[in-house]
Amino acid sequence: MKQWQIFLMLGFFLLVLSSFDSAEAAASPVTIDADKHSADILVDDYVEVTLTLSNSDMKYRKQEVHLVTNWPTGIAWSTEFVDTDYNLVESNLVRIGKGGSTTVKLVILCDGI
């Protein structure tokens, strides 16, 4: 194989790999607002955080949002997502209509240190 073909293939390879660094996903049309950003909880107590999910998308009939809790400290407390009537949100999946909003409560139970 000629030397210029190797350099051409290497250049093409580098071009393709460098294009992945600048790839970005589109901004989500769903936003989440919380009524609390911090709270103190004692053992065997709980705190409720009201989450308002808003959908600004006007293209699709509905958006589905899967709710997940993430604990950066590594200590995961028990959590539940409930609707405004305190019924469990099935599979932690919320459906929001076109241009609509919904309210979900996050209940955090302090069951440990």
Side-chain angles (χ1 to χ4, degrees):
M1 190 176 229
K2 294 183 181 179
Q3 191 175 16
W4 69 270
Q5 291 173 332
I6 293 172
F7 287 121
L8 182 63
M9 287 179 7
L10 181 62
F12 180 70
F13 183 70
L14 290 174
L15 179 67
V16 169
L17 286 180
S18 67
S19 68
F20 291 125
D21 291 339
S22 61
E24 293 183 15
S28 175
V30 177
T31 57
I32 300 176
D33 291 319
D35 69 337
K36 294 178 187 164
H37 298 284
S38 66
D40 294 325
I41 310 172
L42 299 174
V43 176
D44 296 330
D45 202 3
Y46 70 96
V47 68
E48 265 182 37
V49 180
T50 303
L51 305 174
T52 304
L53 290 84
S54 302
N55 178 17
S56 63
D57 181 65
M58 299 307 262
K59 183 176 180 181
Y60 299 104
R61 200 173 21 174
K62 65 181 175 181
Q63 293 281 349
E64 292 183 341
V65 179
H66 183 75
L67 301 170
V68 180
T69 56
N70 183 15
W71 302 100
T73 60
I75 301 171
W77 288 354
S78 300
T79 60
E80 293 178 344
F81 290 102
V82 295
D83 61 13
T84 54
D85 296 326
Y86 293 96
N87 298 317
L88 283 175
V89 174
E90 194 172 318
S91 301
N92 291 348
L93 187 66
V94 177
R95 291 174 182 84
I96 308 170
K98 182 189 292 189
S101 67
T102 190
T103 302
V104 175
K105 293 182 182 282
L106 168 62
V107 179
I108 304 169
L109 307 164
C110 180
D111 49 10
I113 298 174

